[in-house]
Structures are given as C-alpha cells and as structure tokens.
Short mmCIF file of all heavy atoms in Angstrom, two decimals:
data_model
loop_
_atom_site.label_atom_id
_atom_site.label_comp_id
_atom_site.label_asym_id
_atom_site.label_seq_id
_atom_site.Cartn_x
_atom_site.Cartn_y
_atom_site.Cartn_z
N MET A 1 0.81 -1.11 0.04
CA MET A 1 -0.03 -0.01 0.00
C MET A 1 0.88 1.21 0.02
O MET A 1 1.73 1.42 0.83
CB MET A 1 -0.89 -0.03 1.19
CG MET A 1 -1.78 1.12 1.30
SD MET A 1 -2.93 0.93 2.74
CE MET A 1 -2.60 2.48 3.47
N THR A 2 0.70 2.12 -0.94
CA THR A 2 1.49 3.33 -0.96
C THR A 2 0.69 4.53 -0.40
O THR A 2 -0.60 4.53 -0.59
CB THR A 2 1.90 3.70 -2.48
OG1 THR A 2 0.69 3.76 -3.27
CG2 THR A 2 2.71 2.62 -3.07
N PRO A 3 1.29 5.40 0.26
CA PRO A 3 0.57 6.58 0.82
C PRO A 3 0.10 7.51 -0.29
O PRO A 3 0.70 7.57 -1.36
CB PRO A 3 1.68 7.24 1.66
CG PRO A 3 2.92 6.77 1.16
CD PRO A 3 2.71 5.52 0.53
N ASP A 4 -0.92 8.23 0.00
CA ASP A 4 -1.48 9.22 -1.02
C ASP A 4 -0.64 10.46 -0.90
O ASP A 4 -0.62 11.15 0.10
CB ASP A 4 -2.97 9.61 -0.69
CG ASP A 4 -3.89 8.40 -0.97
OD1 ASP A 4 -3.57 7.56 -1.78
OD2 ASP A 4 -4.87 8.23 -0.25
N LEU A 5 0.12 10.79 -1.94
CA LEU A 5 1.06 11.90 -1.96
C LEU A 5 0.51 12.98 -2.95
O LEU A 5 0.01 12.64 -3.97
CB LEU A 5 2.42 11.52 -2.32
CG LEU A 5 3.13 10.49 -1.52
CD1 LEU A 5 4.41 10.02 -2.08
CD2 LEU A 5 3.30 11.08 -0.13
N SER A 6 0.60 14.20 -2.50
CA SER A 6 0.21 15.23 -3.46
C SER A 6 1.35 15.60 -4.46
O SER A 6 2.44 15.11 -4.26
CB SER A 6 -0.11 16.58 -2.59
OG SER A 6 1.02 17.14 -2.14
N VAL A 7 1.05 16.40 -5.36
CA VAL A 7 2.05 16.79 -6.37
C VAL A 7 3.23 17.49 -5.70
O VAL A 7 4.40 17.30 -6.17
CB VAL A 7 1.38 17.74 -7.42
CG1 VAL A 7 2.41 18.15 -8.41
CG2 VAL A 7 0.27 17.06 -8.04
N THR A 8 3.11 18.20 -4.64
CA THR A 8 4.13 18.99 -3.98
C THR A 8 4.89 18.10 -2.93
O THR A 8 5.87 18.60 -2.36
CB THR A 8 3.63 20.24 -3.34
OG1 THR A 8 2.57 19.87 -2.40
CG2 THR A 8 3.04 21.15 -4.45
N ASP A 9 4.46 16.95 -2.63
CA ASP A 9 5.16 16.14 -1.56
C ASP A 9 6.45 15.53 -2.08
O ASP A 9 6.52 15.31 -3.33
CB ASP A 9 4.28 15.01 -1.09
CG ASP A 9 3.11 15.37 -0.23
OD1 ASP A 9 3.31 16.47 0.47
OD2 ASP A 9 2.15 14.74 -0.19
N VAL A 10 7.44 15.35 -1.26
CA VAL A 10 8.65 14.79 -1.61
C VAL A 10 8.37 13.28 -1.91
O VAL A 10 7.52 12.68 -1.34
CB VAL A 10 9.77 14.89 -0.57
CG1 VAL A 10 10.05 16.41 -0.35
CG2 VAL A 10 9.36 14.28 0.66
N ARG A 11 9.28 12.70 -2.69
CA ARG A 11 9.16 11.30 -3.09
C ARG A 11 10.29 10.50 -2.41
O ARG A 11 10.35 9.25 -2.49
CB ARG A 11 9.24 11.09 -4.56
CG ARG A 11 8.15 11.82 -5.32
CD ARG A 11 6.84 11.24 -5.06
NE ARG A 11 5.87 11.80 -5.92
CZ ARG A 11 4.81 12.38 -5.48
NH1 ARG A 11 4.54 12.62 -4.30
NH2 ARG A 11 3.87 12.85 -6.49
N THR A 12 11.28 11.16 -1.66
CA THR A 12 12.39 10.52 -1.07
C THR A 12 12.18 10.64 0.43
O THR A 12 11.79 11.70 0.96
CB THR A 12 13.72 11.17 -1.56
OG1 THR A 12 13.79 11.07 -2.94
CG2 THR A 12 14.91 10.37 -0.90
N CYS A 13 12.62 9.58 1.23
CA CYS A 13 12.44 9.63 2.57
C CYS A 13 13.07 10.85 3.27
O CYS A 13 14.20 11.17 2.95
CB CYS A 13 13.11 8.32 3.20
SG CYS A 13 13.06 8.24 5.00
N GLU A 14 12.33 11.50 4.17
CA GLU A 14 12.89 12.73 4.83
C GLU A 14 13.77 12.37 5.93
O GLU A 14 14.39 13.37 6.53
CB GLU A 14 11.60 13.49 5.42
CG GLU A 14 10.73 13.99 4.33
CD GLU A 14 9.50 14.82 4.89
OE1 GLU A 14 9.14 14.35 5.99
OE2 GLU A 14 9.10 15.72 4.21
N ALA A 15 14.10 11.13 6.30
CA ALA A 15 15.01 10.76 7.32
C ALA A 15 16.36 10.37 6.77
O ALA A 15 17.42 10.84 7.10
CB ALA A 15 14.46 9.68 8.25
N CYS A 16 16.33 9.39 5.83
CA CYS A 16 17.60 8.86 5.30
C CYS A 16 17.97 9.49 3.95
O CYS A 16 19.10 9.47 3.50
CB CYS A 16 17.49 7.35 5.08
SG CYS A 16 16.30 6.74 3.83
N TRP A 17 17.01 10.12 3.23
CA TRP A 17 17.20 10.74 1.92
C TRP A 17 17.67 9.72 0.83
O TRP A 17 18.35 10.10 -0.11
CB TRP A 17 18.19 11.90 2.07
CG TRP A 17 17.74 13.01 2.87
CD1 TRP A 17 16.63 13.11 3.54
CD2 TRP A 17 18.50 14.27 3.07
NE1 TRP A 17 16.62 14.33 4.30
CE2 TRP A 17 17.80 15.03 3.94
CE3 TRP A 17 19.73 14.76 2.61
CZ2 TRP A 17 18.17 16.26 4.34
CZ3 TRP A 17 20.12 15.99 3.03
CH2 TRP A 17 19.41 16.75 3.86
N ARG A 18 17.41 8.56 0.99
CA ARG A 18 17.80 7.47 0.01
C ARG A 18 16.73 6.72 -0.53
O ARG A 18 16.63 6.53 -1.77
CB ARG A 18 18.83 6.58 0.73
CG ARG A 18 20.10 7.27 1.00
CD ARG A 18 21.24 6.18 1.38
NE ARG A 18 22.41 6.94 1.71
CZ ARG A 18 22.92 7.12 2.96
NH1 ARG A 18 22.31 6.55 3.97
NH2 ARG A 18 24.06 7.74 3.10
N ALA A 19 15.83 6.19 0.33
CA ALA A 19 14.74 5.24 -0.19
C ALA A 19 13.49 6.08 -0.52
O ALA A 19 13.29 7.13 0.00
CB ALA A 19 14.46 4.28 1.02
N PRO A 20 12.65 5.43 -1.39
CA PRO A 20 11.39 6.14 -1.68
C PRO A 20 10.42 6.13 -0.45
O PRO A 20 10.54 5.18 0.36
CB PRO A 20 10.86 5.30 -2.83
CG PRO A 20 11.53 4.01 -2.71
CD PRO A 20 12.85 4.17 -2.11
N VAL A 21 9.49 7.10 -0.48
CA VAL A 21 8.52 7.26 0.63
C VAL A 21 7.52 6.05 0.52
O VAL A 21 6.93 5.82 -0.54
CB VAL A 21 7.72 8.49 0.44
CG1 VAL A 21 6.54 8.58 1.43
CG2 VAL A 21 8.71 9.70 0.78
N THR A 22 7.37 5.32 1.63
CA THR A 22 6.35 4.28 1.60
C THR A 22 5.51 4.35 2.94
O THR A 22 4.62 3.53 3.12
CB THR A 22 7.10 2.89 1.58
OG1 THR A 22 7.99 2.73 2.71
CG2 THR A 22 7.78 2.62 0.26
N ALA A 23 5.87 5.31 3.81
CA ALA A 23 5.04 5.43 5.06
C ALA A 23 4.88 6.87 5.36
O ALA A 23 5.64 7.70 5.04
CB ALA A 23 5.79 4.65 6.20
N VAL A 24 3.77 7.17 6.08
CA VAL A 24 3.46 8.47 6.57
C VAL A 24 3.30 8.42 8.07
O VAL A 24 2.48 7.56 8.63
CB VAL A 24 2.15 9.03 5.94
CG1 VAL A 24 1.84 10.36 6.50
CG2 VAL A 24 2.34 9.06 4.47
N ARG A 25 4.04 9.28 8.80
CA ARG A 25 3.93 9.22 10.25
C ARG A 25 3.31 10.69 10.55
O ARG A 25 3.90 11.72 10.25
CB ARG A 25 5.26 9.12 10.88
CG ARG A 25 5.27 9.32 12.41
CD ARG A 25 6.62 8.97 13.04
NE ARG A 25 7.68 9.83 12.48
CZ ARG A 25 8.94 9.56 12.49
NH1 ARG A 25 9.37 8.48 13.07
NH2 ARG A 25 9.75 10.38 12.01
N HIS A 26 2.19 10.62 11.26
CA HIS A 26 1.48 11.88 11.71
C HIS A 26 2.04 12.28 13.10
O HIS A 26 2.11 11.60 14.02
CB HIS A 26 -0.04 11.71 11.76
CG HIS A 26 -0.60 11.32 10.38
ND1 HIS A 26 -0.86 12.30 9.49
CD2 HIS A 26 -0.90 10.12 9.76
CE1 HIS A 26 -1.32 11.73 8.37
NE2 HIS A 26 -1.41 10.45 8.58
N THR A 27 2.40 13.60 13.10
CA THR A 27 2.96 14.21 14.35
C THR A 27 2.16 15.49 14.63
O THR A 27 1.31 15.87 13.87
CB THR A 27 4.46 14.53 14.20
OG1 THR A 27 4.58 15.61 13.17
CG2 THR A 27 5.23 13.41 13.83
N ALA A 28 2.43 16.08 15.80
CA ALA A 28 1.84 17.30 16.20
C ALA A 28 2.15 18.46 15.26
O ALA A 28 1.43 19.39 15.03
CB ALA A 28 2.28 17.71 17.62
N GLN A 29 3.29 18.45 14.51
CA GLN A 29 3.64 19.47 13.59
C GLN A 29 3.18 19.20 12.21
O GLN A 29 3.30 20.01 11.36
CB GLN A 29 5.22 19.62 13.58
CG GLN A 29 5.87 20.07 14.80
CD GLN A 29 6.03 19.12 15.93
OE1 GLN A 29 6.08 17.97 15.64
NE2 GLN A 29 6.03 19.59 17.16
N GLY A 30 2.67 18.03 11.97
CA GLY A 30 2.18 17.77 10.60
C GLY A 30 2.36 16.23 10.24
O GLY A 30 1.97 15.37 11.07
N ARG A 31 3.02 15.94 9.25
CA ARG A 31 3.27 14.52 8.93
C ARG A 31 4.74 14.41 8.38
O ARG A 31 5.21 15.34 7.77
CB ARG A 31 2.23 14.02 7.87
CG ARG A 31 2.34 14.74 6.50
CD ARG A 31 1.18 14.19 5.70
NE ARG A 31 1.38 14.80 4.33
CZ ARG A 31 1.15 14.36 3.23
NH1 ARG A 31 0.66 12.99 3.22
NH2 ARG A 31 1.25 14.90 2.06
N ASP A 32 5.29 13.21 8.56
CA ASP A 32 6.58 12.88 8.07
C ASP A 32 6.45 11.84 6.94
O ASP A 32 5.75 10.92 7.18
CB ASP A 32 7.51 12.34 9.24
CG ASP A 32 7.67 13.29 10.37
OD1 ASP A 32 7.46 14.51 10.13
OD2 ASP A 32 8.00 12.84 11.47
N LEU A 33 7.17 12.07 5.88
CA LEU A 33 7.13 11.12 4.81
C LEU A 33 8.41 10.31 4.88
O LEU A 33 9.51 10.83 4.61
CB LEU A 33 7.00 11.92 3.43
CG LEU A 33 5.79 12.76 3.35
CD1 LEU A 33 5.85 13.60 2.04
CD2 LEU A 33 4.52 11.96 3.32
N LEU A 34 8.24 9.04 5.18
CA LEU A 34 9.43 8.18 5.40
C LEU A 34 9.35 6.84 4.65
O LEU A 34 8.35 6.42 4.13
CB LEU A 34 9.50 7.81 6.92
CG LEU A 34 9.42 9.00 7.92
CD1 LEU A 34 9.17 8.50 9.31
CD2 LEU A 34 10.70 9.82 7.81
N CYS A 35 10.52 6.24 4.58
CA CYS A 35 10.55 4.91 4.05
C CYS A 35 10.22 3.98 5.11
O CYS A 35 10.14 4.32 6.30
CB CYS A 35 11.99 4.56 3.61
SG CYS A 35 13.24 4.49 4.68
N ARG A 36 9.93 2.73 4.86
CA ARG A 36 9.47 1.74 5.88
C ARG A 36 10.52 1.52 6.92
O ARG A 36 10.15 1.51 8.14
CB ARG A 36 9.13 0.39 5.18
CG ARG A 36 8.68 -0.65 6.09
CD ARG A 36 8.32 -1.84 5.37
NE ARG A 36 7.90 -2.89 6.44
CZ ARG A 36 7.03 -3.84 6.15
NH1 ARG A 36 6.52 -3.94 4.90
NH2 ARG A 36 6.71 -4.65 7.07
N ALA A 37 11.84 1.48 6.57
CA ALA A 37 12.83 1.15 7.62
C ALA A 37 12.92 2.32 8.56
O ALA A 37 13.06 2.12 9.81
CB ALA A 37 14.18 0.96 6.95
N CYS A 38 12.87 3.52 8.15
CA CYS A 38 12.95 4.73 9.02
C CYS A 38 11.77 4.86 9.88
O CYS A 38 11.76 5.22 11.08
CB CYS A 38 13.17 5.96 8.22
SG CYS A 38 14.87 6.09 7.49
N ALA A 39 10.53 4.55 9.28
CA ALA A 39 9.31 4.61 10.07
C ALA A 39 9.29 3.63 11.15
O ALA A 39 8.89 3.91 12.35
CB ALA A 39 8.11 4.44 9.09
N GLU A 40 9.74 2.42 10.90
CA GLU A 40 9.75 1.34 11.91
C GLU A 40 10.85 1.62 12.94
O GLU A 40 10.68 1.24 14.11
CB GLU A 40 9.92 -0.09 11.25
CG GLU A 40 8.76 -0.52 10.52
CD GLU A 40 9.06 -1.84 9.76
OE1 GLU A 40 10.12 -2.36 9.77
OE2 GLU A 40 8.03 -2.33 9.16
N GLY A 41 11.94 2.23 12.56
CA GLY A 41 13.05 2.55 13.44
C GLY A 41 12.85 3.72 14.27
O GLY A 41 13.60 4.06 15.17
N GLY A 42 11.83 4.53 14.01
CA GLY A 42 11.44 5.76 14.74
C GLY A 42 12.49 6.89 14.44
O GLY A 42 12.68 7.77 15.27
N CYS A 43 13.04 6.84 13.28
CA CYS A 43 14.05 7.87 12.87
C CYS A 43 13.38 9.27 12.72
O CYS A 43 12.31 9.37 12.16
CB CYS A 43 14.64 7.48 11.54
SG CYS A 43 15.65 6.03 11.63
N PRO A 44 14.01 10.35 13.15
CA PRO A 44 13.47 11.62 13.00
C PRO A 44 13.73 12.23 11.61
O PRO A 44 14.62 11.81 10.92
CB PRO A 44 14.21 12.48 14.02
CG PRO A 44 15.54 11.84 14.15
CD PRO A 44 15.28 10.31 13.97
N ARG A 45 12.93 13.17 11.18
CA ARG A 45 13.18 13.85 9.92
C ARG A 45 14.54 14.59 10.12
O ARG A 45 14.90 15.07 11.19
CB ARG A 45 12.12 14.91 9.65
CG ARG A 45 10.80 14.28 9.39
CD ARG A 45 9.75 15.33 9.28
NE ARG A 45 10.13 16.59 8.68
CZ ARG A 45 9.35 17.47 8.14
NH1 ARG A 45 8.05 17.23 8.13
NH2 ARG A 45 9.76 18.49 7.63
N ARG A 46 15.24 14.72 8.93
CA ARG A 46 16.52 15.38 8.98
C ARG A 46 16.41 16.77 8.39
O ARG A 46 17.41 17.53 8.45
CB ARG A 46 17.50 14.55 8.13
CG ARG A 46 17.86 13.26 8.80
CD ARG A 46 18.80 12.42 8.08
NE ARG A 46 20.02 13.10 7.95
CZ ARG A 46 20.94 12.75 7.15
NH1 ARG A 46 20.74 11.78 6.19
NH2 ARG A 46 22.16 13.39 7.07
N VAL A 47 15.25 17.14 7.92
CA VAL A 47 15.24 18.56 7.37
C VAL A 47 13.80 19.09 7.65
O VAL A 47 12.80 18.37 7.64
CB VAL A 47 15.49 18.50 5.84
CG1 VAL A 47 14.49 17.70 5.12
CG2 VAL A 47 15.54 19.91 5.28
N ASP A 48 13.72 20.38 7.87
CA ASP A 48 12.47 21.02 7.92
C ASP A 48 12.55 22.15 6.85
O ASP A 48 13.33 23.09 7.07
CB ASP A 48 12.24 21.67 9.32
CG ASP A 48 11.83 20.63 10.34
OD1 ASP A 48 11.19 19.67 10.01
OD2 ASP A 48 12.21 20.83 11.53
N LEU A 49 11.78 22.10 5.86
CA LEU A 49 11.77 23.07 4.79
C LEU A 49 10.95 24.29 5.22
O LEU A 49 9.73 24.18 5.63
CB LEU A 49 11.29 22.53 3.49
CG LEU A 49 12.21 21.44 2.91
CD1 LEU A 49 11.59 20.91 1.66
CD2 LEU A 49 13.53 22.09 2.57
N PHE A 50 11.43 25.46 5.14
CA PHE A 50 10.83 26.67 5.37
C PHE A 50 10.08 26.82 6.69
O PHE A 50 9.01 27.23 6.82
CB PHE A 50 9.84 26.94 4.20
CG PHE A 50 10.37 26.84 2.84
CD1 PHE A 50 10.01 25.81 2.03
CD2 PHE A 50 11.31 27.81 2.40
CE1 PHE A 50 10.63 25.76 0.79
CE2 PHE A 50 11.98 27.67 1.27
CZ PHE A 50 11.60 26.66 0.32
N PRO A 51 10.88 26.66 7.81
CA PRO A 51 10.38 26.97 9.14
C PRO A 51 10.37 28.55 9.25
O PRO A 51 10.81 29.18 8.36
CB PRO A 51 11.31 26.31 10.08
CG PRO A 51 12.59 26.22 9.38
CD PRO A 51 12.25 26.06 7.87
N PRO A 52 9.90 29.02 10.40
CA PRO A 52 9.86 30.50 10.49
C PRO A 52 11.11 31.25 10.22
O PRO A 52 11.02 32.38 9.71
CB PRO A 52 9.44 30.73 11.92
CG PRO A 52 8.77 29.50 12.30
CD PRO A 52 9.44 28.36 11.48
N TYR A 53 12.24 30.70 10.44
CA TYR A 53 13.55 31.47 10.25
C TYR A 53 14.44 30.94 9.14
O TYR A 53 15.64 31.15 9.17
CB TYR A 53 14.30 31.52 11.53
CG TYR A 53 13.51 32.19 12.61
CD1 TYR A 53 12.90 31.51 13.71
CD2 TYR A 53 13.33 33.55 12.60
CE1 TYR A 53 12.14 32.20 14.59
CE2 TYR A 53 12.58 34.23 13.55
CZ TYR A 53 11.99 33.51 14.57
OH TYR A 53 11.30 34.08 15.54
N GLY A 54 13.91 30.30 8.09
CA GLY A 54 14.68 29.83 7.04
C GLY A 54 14.50 28.30 6.76
O GLY A 54 13.46 27.83 7.02
N ILE A 55 15.49 27.70 6.25
CA ILE A 55 15.46 26.28 5.91
C ILE A 55 16.59 25.54 6.64
O ILE A 55 17.54 26.11 7.10
CB ILE A 55 15.53 26.08 4.39
CG1 ILE A 55 16.78 26.67 3.79
CG2 ILE A 55 14.30 26.55 3.72
CD1 ILE A 55 16.93 26.45 2.37
N TYR A 56 16.44 24.25 6.67
CA TYR A 56 17.43 23.38 7.30
C TYR A 56 17.70 23.58 8.73
O TYR A 56 18.89 23.80 9.17
CB TYR A 56 18.70 23.40 6.41
CG TYR A 56 18.47 22.81 4.97
CD1 TYR A 56 18.56 23.74 4.00
CD2 TYR A 56 18.07 21.58 4.77
CE1 TYR A 56 18.32 23.27 2.66
CE2 TYR A 56 17.79 21.11 3.55
CZ TYR A 56 18.01 21.97 2.52
OH TYR A 56 17.65 21.55 1.23
N ARG A 57 16.68 23.84 9.54
CA ARG A 57 16.77 24.07 10.98
C ARG A 57 17.61 25.15 11.37
O ARG A 57 18.37 25.10 12.37
CB ARG A 57 17.18 22.74 11.63
CG ARG A 57 16.18 21.58 11.40
CD ARG A 57 16.57 20.40 12.13
NE ARG A 57 15.65 19.29 11.73
CZ ARG A 57 15.29 18.33 12.51
NH1 ARG A 57 15.67 18.29 13.75
NH2 ARG A 57 14.49 17.45 12.11
N LEU A 58 17.63 26.25 10.61
CA LEU A 58 18.38 27.45 11.03
C LEU A 58 17.71 27.98 12.25
O LEU A 58 16.46 28.06 12.42
CB LEU A 58 18.45 28.42 9.90
CG LEU A 58 19.29 27.99 8.68
CD1 LEU A 58 19.22 29.03 7.62
CD2 LEU A 58 20.67 27.71 9.02
N HIS A 59 18.40 28.63 13.04
CA HIS A 59 17.83 29.28 14.26
C HIS A 59 17.53 30.77 14.05
O HIS A 59 18.07 31.34 13.10
CB HIS A 59 18.74 29.07 15.49
CG HIS A 59 18.91 27.59 15.78
ND1 HIS A 59 17.97 26.77 16.31
CD2 HIS A 59 20.03 26.84 15.60
CE1 HIS A 59 18.46 25.56 16.49
NE2 HIS A 59 19.64 25.55 15.96
N ARG A 60 16.91 31.34 14.99
CA ARG A 60 16.55 32.77 14.94
C ARG A 60 17.88 33.52 14.91
O ARG A 60 18.93 33.23 15.56
CB ARG A 60 15.82 33.15 16.15
CG ARG A 60 15.56 34.63 16.31
CD ARG A 60 14.88 35.05 17.56
NE ARG A 60 13.93 33.99 17.95
CZ ARG A 60 13.03 34.14 18.89
NH1 ARG A 60 13.07 35.22 19.65
NH2 ARG A 60 12.21 33.16 19.25
N PRO A 61 17.97 34.55 14.11
CA PRO A 61 19.21 35.30 13.99
C PRO A 61 19.59 35.94 15.32
O PRO A 61 18.72 36.38 16.03
CB PRO A 61 18.97 36.48 12.96
CG PRO A 61 17.68 36.09 12.30
CD PRO A 61 16.97 35.02 13.10
N LEU A 62 20.84 35.91 15.66
CA LEU A 62 21.35 36.42 16.95
C LEU A 62 21.17 37.98 16.94
O LEU A 62 21.29 38.61 15.85
CB LEU A 62 22.80 36.12 17.18
CG LEU A 62 23.17 34.63 17.30
CD1 LEU A 62 24.58 34.43 17.44
CD2 LEU A 62 22.39 34.07 18.55
N ASN A 63 20.91 38.54 17.98
CA ASN A 63 20.83 40.02 18.12
C ASN A 63 22.18 40.54 18.06
O ASN A 63 22.88 40.87 19.09
CB ASN A 63 20.15 40.40 19.39
CG ASN A 63 19.95 41.89 19.46
OD1 ASN A 63 20.11 42.68 18.47
ND2 ASN A 63 19.43 42.38 20.62
N GLN A 64 22.70 40.89 16.88
CA GLN A 64 24.07 41.41 16.66
C GLN A 64 23.90 42.89 16.46
O GLN A 64 23.08 43.36 15.68
CB GLN A 64 24.71 40.74 15.48
CG GLN A 64 24.89 39.21 15.63
CD GLN A 64 25.37 38.51 14.33
OE1 GLN A 64 25.52 39.22 13.37
NE2 GLN A 64 25.74 37.28 14.54
N SER A 65 24.82 43.56 17.07
CA SER A 65 24.80 45.01 16.93
C SER A 65 25.88 45.53 15.86
O SER A 65 26.69 46.41 16.17
CB SER A 65 25.07 45.65 18.36
OG SER A 65 26.32 45.29 18.78
N ALA A 66 25.90 44.87 14.77
CA ALA A 66 26.81 45.29 13.73
C ALA A 66 26.22 46.45 12.95
O ALA A 66 25.04 46.62 12.80
CB ALA A 66 27.09 44.15 12.71
N ALA A 67 27.12 47.38 12.56
CA ALA A 67 26.69 48.59 11.83
C ALA A 67 26.34 48.15 10.38
O ALA A 67 26.91 47.16 9.82
CB ALA A 67 27.84 49.58 11.79
N PRO A 68 25.38 48.79 9.85
CA PRO A 68 24.94 48.44 8.51
C PRO A 68 26.13 48.75 7.52
O PRO A 68 26.91 49.61 7.78
CB PRO A 68 23.77 49.39 8.18
CG PRO A 68 23.82 50.50 9.18
CD PRO A 68 24.59 49.91 10.40
N ILE A 69 26.15 48.07 6.38
CA ILE A 69 27.18 48.30 5.33
C ILE A 69 26.89 49.55 4.66
O ILE A 69 25.75 49.78 4.15
CB ILE A 69 27.21 47.11 4.42
CG1 ILE A 69 27.62 45.78 5.21
CG2 ILE A 69 28.17 47.27 3.28
CD1 ILE A 69 27.49 44.53 4.47
N ARG A 70 27.92 50.39 4.59
CA ARG A 70 27.70 51.72 3.88
C ARG A 70 28.73 51.77 2.78
O ARG A 70 29.70 51.12 2.72
CB ARG A 70 27.84 52.84 4.85
CG ARG A 70 26.78 52.75 6.00
CD ARG A 70 27.06 53.82 6.98
NE ARG A 70 26.28 53.54 8.19
CZ ARG A 70 25.45 54.40 8.80
NH1 ARG A 70 25.46 55.61 8.36
NH2 ARG A 70 24.76 54.03 9.82
N GLY A 71 28.46 52.70 1.91
CA GLY A 71 29.44 52.92 0.82
C GLY A 71 30.82 53.46 1.33
O GLY A 71 30.92 53.86 2.51
N ASP A 72 31.79 53.50 0.48
CA ASP A 72 33.07 54.05 0.93
C ASP A 72 33.13 55.49 0.92
O ASP A 72 34.24 56.11 1.17
CB ASP A 72 34.16 53.37 0.04
CG ASP A 72 34.04 53.68 -1.40
OD1 ASP A 72 33.06 54.45 -1.77
OD2 ASP A 72 34.85 53.18 -2.23
N GLY A 73 32.13 56.28 0.63
CA GLY A 73 32.08 57.70 0.76
C GLY A 73 32.65 58.44 -0.48
O GLY A 73 32.97 59.63 -0.33
N ARG A 74 32.74 57.79 -1.54
CA ARG A 74 33.37 58.51 -2.80
C ARG A 74 32.33 59.45 -3.34
O ARG A 74 31.25 59.34 -3.35
CB ARG A 74 33.72 57.45 -3.81
CG ARG A 74 34.98 56.70 -3.47
CD ARG A 74 35.34 55.90 -4.59
NE ARG A 74 36.00 54.75 -4.04
CZ ARG A 74 36.58 53.79 -4.79
NH1 ARG A 74 36.42 53.80 -6.10
NH2 ARG A 74 37.23 52.81 -4.28
#
C-alpha cells in the first residue's frame, strides 16, 4: 500500500534521503514522509523546509549590533 502523496510532496524519505517514501507518520507538527525502515526505526526527519527562520533548521538570527554596510564615501 502506497501513501497518498500530493504533487508537491517529496518522493524520497525525509530521514535517510535515500529510499522512496512508503510510510506516513503523523505528528503534532504535521506529517513525516518516510521509508519503511525509518518509520519502523522511529528515525526523526533530517530537514524542515521553510520553518519561520529559514530552511534546514536554522535558528533565529542572533541580536548582533553590527553597523549596516555603507558605501566608501566616494
């Protein structure tokens, strides 16, 4: 039985990035598209696309007090 995937869903496991998606795990944040081995092993997803602060689990920018880049005054 293959999961119902939309046109925009990934076709490769979100945990190992090697095997095709054959299982869907529902979580509080949504759903994880995994291969059978990763789903049975309880492997976490390795990527979150487009979270609030970017992609690939980037964190909130640090509060840096750097001066803005300005021209050289020519």
Side-chain angles (χ1 to χ4, degrees):
M1 182 174 125
T2 59
D4 293 330
L5 300 175
S6 72
V7 178
T8 58
D9 284 335
V10 296
R11 302 291 190 239
T12 305
C13 176
E14 295 177 326
C16 69
W17 296 2
R18 292 190 179 110
V21 171
T22 57
V24 177
R25 177 174 57 200
H26 295 279
T27 64
Q29 291 81 22
R31 63 184 184 145
D32 300 340
L33 302 173
L34 306 169
C35 66
R36 181 176 177 153
C38 291
E40 289 177 354
C43 298
R45 290 173 37 160
R46 294 179 63 199
V47 65
D48 286 325
L49 293 177
F50 307 111
Y53 297 105
I55 55 177
Y56 299 111
R57 297 186 188 212
L58 295 177
H59 300 288
R60 178 185 319 190
L62 298 175
N63 186 7
Q64 298 175 352
S65 59
I69 298 173
R70 299 174 193 228
D72 61 1
R74 289 187 208 181

